[in-house]
């Protein structure tokens, strides 16, 4: 794990979200959005965790430990509620992420910029 210059700000936002809870802490998440390209933490072998990603983890943790957070979340996933459509999109995208690479095998070409004989060319 590598600490970066933005790590203290990320920890401050993480703590503020946990302190304020999932609803009022949403404003801290919105404050982190302009810093979307700033890395909050460098994880060895996994890349970097950006500031909004770090705040989303804090929102989920605060939701899990909120006294009625999971009950309210489950309530919004019922048919007719706004979370139901989001749940359907999540399920369809998960199914597509699993099966579409297998369905499209051999149908698509990938072009990569590579160095070939000292010049940059497109390689199939």
């Amino acid at each position: 794990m590598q600490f970066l210059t933005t790590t203290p700000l990320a920890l401050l936002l993480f703590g503020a979200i946990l302190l304020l809870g999932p609803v009022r802490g949403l404003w801290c998440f919105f404050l982190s959005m302009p810093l979307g390209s700033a890395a909050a933490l460098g994880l060895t072998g996994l890349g970097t965790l950006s500031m909004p990603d770090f705040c989303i983890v804090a929102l989920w943790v605060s939701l899990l430990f909120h006294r009625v957070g999971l009950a309210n979340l489950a309530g919004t996933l019922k048919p007719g509620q706004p979370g139901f459509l989001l749940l359907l999109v999540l399920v369809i995208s998960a199914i597509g992420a699993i099966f579409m690479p297998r369905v499209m095998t051999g149908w698509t070409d990938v072009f990569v910029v590579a160095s070939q004989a000292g010049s940059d060319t497109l390689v199939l």
Side-chain angles (χ1 to χ4, degrees), residues 4-87:
L4 305 167
T5 56
T6 56
T7 302
L9 178 61
L11 291 175
L12 180 71
L13 286 172
F14 193 90
I17 289 172
L18 290 181
L19 183 68
L20 294 173
V23 176
R24 290 186 295 157
L26 195 60
W27 290 104
C28 293
F29 170 69
F30 290 142
L31 286 175
S32 74
M33 290 305 287
L35 302 171
S37 63
L41 206 58
L43 302 173
T44 308
L46 296 176
T48 58
L49 188 64
S50 69
M51 193 77 72
D53 294 337
F54 203 71
C55 290
I56 286 174
V57 169
L59 281 172
W60 275 106
V61 168
S62 69
L63 182 69
L64 291 176
F65 290 116
H66 195 261
R67 55 186 168 90
V68 292
L70 289 178
N72 287 343
L73 180 65
T76 61
L77 298 178
K78 294 178 188 173
Q81 297 294 323
F84 181 70
L85 293 176
L86 185 61
L87 178 65

Side-chain angles (χ1 to χ4, degrees), residues 73-106:
L73 180 65
T76 61
L77 298 178
K78 294 178 188 173
Q81 297 294 323
F84 181 70
L85 293 176
L86 185 61
L87 178 65
L88 287 178
V89 168
L90 180 69
V91 168
I92 290 170
S93 62
I95 291 170
I98 292 169
F99 291 111
M100 290 309 282
R102 288 167 182 80
V103 170
M104 297 293 178
T105 300

